[in-house]
Amino acid sequence: MSDWPQGSGNNGGDQYGRGSAGAQPEGARVMRQVQRGPGSVPGRSAPPRGVPPQPTYDDGYGEDPYNSGYNTGQVYGSPGGGGPQDPPNGYGRGARPAPNWRKRIKWTAITVVTVLVVVSVSTYFWADSKLKREVDLSKVIDRPDAGEGTNYLIVGSDSREGLSAEEKKKLRTGSAEGKRTDSMMILHVGDNGNTMISLPRDSNVTIPTFVGSESGKTFPGTGRQVKLNAAYAEDGPELLVRTVEANTGLRIDHYAEIGFAGFAKIVDAVGGVEMDIPKAFKDKNSGADFEAGKQTLNGEEALAFVRTRYAFAGSDLDRTKNQQKFLAALASQTATPSTVLNPFKLYPTLGSGLDTLTVDKDMSLWNLASMFWAMKGVTGGEGKSMNMPISGNSANGNLQWDTAKVKTLVDQLKNDEKVTVSGN
């Protein structure tokens, strides 16, 4: 006799237990530990400990006719888990998929690269917009043929542009009109080593025929001999380039000039420059007053250091050596991760320098960066730094270049050969 009430209909064993092969329901075959009535049913085992009793469906006929032993409720404490806190096989409403680390790393890298590109491009255009491309080398006439490598003429002028009356007094720049130059250097960048040559401001040179940068008028050369810095004072950067080229035979490819204000601000922006001064010296003209030993110079002190010449026996020649020494320290401290990777130092440093930097019209940021890194390398010992060879004083008291040595030097630079000539 079937345990099921009449009319319920049994159309096959696969109606029970989801495809069970037997005719008996799954509950009767597998879930033998479940007991529905208060008493025990013959052939069934007692419920396990801790399982709550299930209600019975007794309607007065004795044994529940609907109790086939098949439990449709949730079975707790079953051997395979299956409770609400333990979904089978680790799947369920609370399960989370494992993180895809490869995908996360990929998108993180893409984001970082994108940010770096955007910042780099923005910085490039910001810096490029600050360059003052005011020097027109196309106005320079009778130029020497170009040689190997790239030659920069780097000038430190006494321009007071951007300085207030109080700053002029503090920096001891005076209030003279116009511009003069306290330092001039030729920087050769080539494949066989970079070379920096200081040109003393008192060098004796001949002013050649030139075309006025503003008037466009041609001024014939008369053999007039003057100090090199007089060429700059007479007609600015274009005449200075023309004079250097005419007296050396070396073509100048690019021009860069920085004034007092920019120089002092750069030093302050990087937090000062540490110098080791071998001997104490004072100079009332520049305001220099230094003790011997290691010390950090601020912008005001740095300007006094590179401008001092009256305190030294070698005057202008000793000053150029100090200028190169200071540039070495400044470049080494500026081109460091703590400055380049720190926007709070990088942008003030760039801004301070670019605001007062004047270059030729063909100078790109790439050229400027190449010049800076070459200066850093040369002054850091990776190249050669020297003064223009001097043979003595000329009849007018100016410093006379050693003609033979200068010719050899220029030939080596033109051919991008290792420089063997020594300077003073």
Side-chain angles (χ1 to χ4, degrees), residues 39-348:
S40 61
V41 178
R44 299 185 181 180
S45 60
R49 185 178 179 182
V51 177
Q54 303 297 315
T56 182
Y57 298 128
D58 188 358
D59 59 353
Y61 291 98
E63 183 174 314
D64 184 2
Y66 295 98
N67 184 7
S68 64
Y70 181 72
N71 180 12
T72 59
Q74 177 71 46
V75 179
Y76 297 94
S78 59
Q85 301 300 323
D86 187 16
N89 300 325
Y91 294 98
R93 185 167 47 189
R96 294 183 179 179
N100 189 335
W101 288 108
R102 181 177 297 178
K103 188 174 182 180
R104 290 187 180 185
I105 293 173
K106 171 186 175 182
W107 283 107
T108 299
I110 291 175
T111 301
V112 171
V113 170
T114 301
V115 170
L116 289 176
V117 170
V118 171
V119 171
S120 299
V121 172
S122 300
T123 301
Y124 178 89
F125 284 105
W126 168 78
D128 189 72
S129 67
K130 283 183 167 291
L131 277 181
K132 297 180 180 179
R133 296 182 173 92
E134 299 176 354
V135 179
D136 190 356
L137 295 184
S138 67
K139 295 180 180 179
V140 180
I141 63 173
D142 299 333
R143 309 194 67 187
D145 293 334
E148 300 293 328
T150 304
N151 299 312
Y152 297 85
L153 181 60
I154 304 169
V155 173
S157 76
D158 66 356
S159 171
R160 296 151 179 84
E161 183 178 354
L163 292 176
S164 65
E166 182 179 351
E167 288 173 325
K168 291 177 183 178
K169 181 178 180 181
K170 180 180 179 181
L171 297 175
R172 294 175 179 264
T173 64
S175 300
E177 295 297 328
K179 294 193 298 182
R180 281 152 296 278
T181 175
D182 281 335
S183 60
M184 292 160 283
M185 302 176 186
I186 293 175
L187 173 66
H188 174 80
V189 179
D191 295 331
N192 292 308
N194 305 323
T195 305
M196 180 181 288
I197 307 149
S198 290
L199 308 175
R201 56 172 284 176
D202 293 341
S203 298
N204 190 59
V205 294
T206 301
I207 297 294
T209 299
F210 69 96
V211 175
S213 58
E214 297 296 332
S215 66
K217 181 181 177 181
T218 299
F219 296 89
T222 60
R224 178 167 50 103
Q225 294 187 336
V226 297
K227 293 180 179 180
L228 181 59
N229 68 335
Y232 179 91
E234 187 172 331
D235 199 47
E238 287 85 1
L239 179 55
L240 178 61
V241 170
R242 169 75 177 121
T243 302
V244 169
E245 289 186 342
N247 285 265
T248 63
L250 184 68
R251 186 184 181 95
I252 300 299
D253 299 295
H254 292 291
Y255 178 92
E257 173 190 327
I258 190 166
F260 282 162
F263 183 83
K265 288 178 181 178
I266 289 175
V267 174
D268 287 334
V270 298
V273 174
E274 185 178 78
M275 292 291 297
D276 187 1
I277 300 177
K279 185 179 179 180
F281 66 89
K282 292 183 180 182
D283 180 21
K284 65 178 182 179
N285 293 286
S286 66
D289 186 1
F290 297 105
E291 299 293 333
K294 288 186 177 180
Q295 50 203 289
T296 299
L297 309 186
N298 60 26
E300 177 184 352
E301 294 166 337
L303 191 58
F305 180 82
V306 299
R307 293 180 63 208
T308 298
R309 64 170 177 160
Y310 294 109
F312 307 125
S315 187
D316 206 30
L317 293 176
D318 285 341
R319 174 167 65 174
T320 57
K321 293 176 182 178
N322 278 343
Q323 289 171 348
Q324 291 185 354
K325 184 178 179 180
F326 183 84
L327 284 176
L330 176 60
S332 297
Q333 187 163 326
T334 303
T336 58
S338 62
T339 298
V340 176
L341 299 180
N342 183 353
F344 297 102
K345 291 185 70 175
L346 175 63
Y347 286 96

Side-chain angles (χ1 to χ4, degrees), residues 376-397:
K376 179 180 182 297
V378 170
T379 54
E382 298 177 3
K384 185 179 180 67
S385 60
M386 56 183 288
N387 279 327
M388 185 66 83
I390 303 295
S391 61
N393 292 97
S394 60
N396 56 10

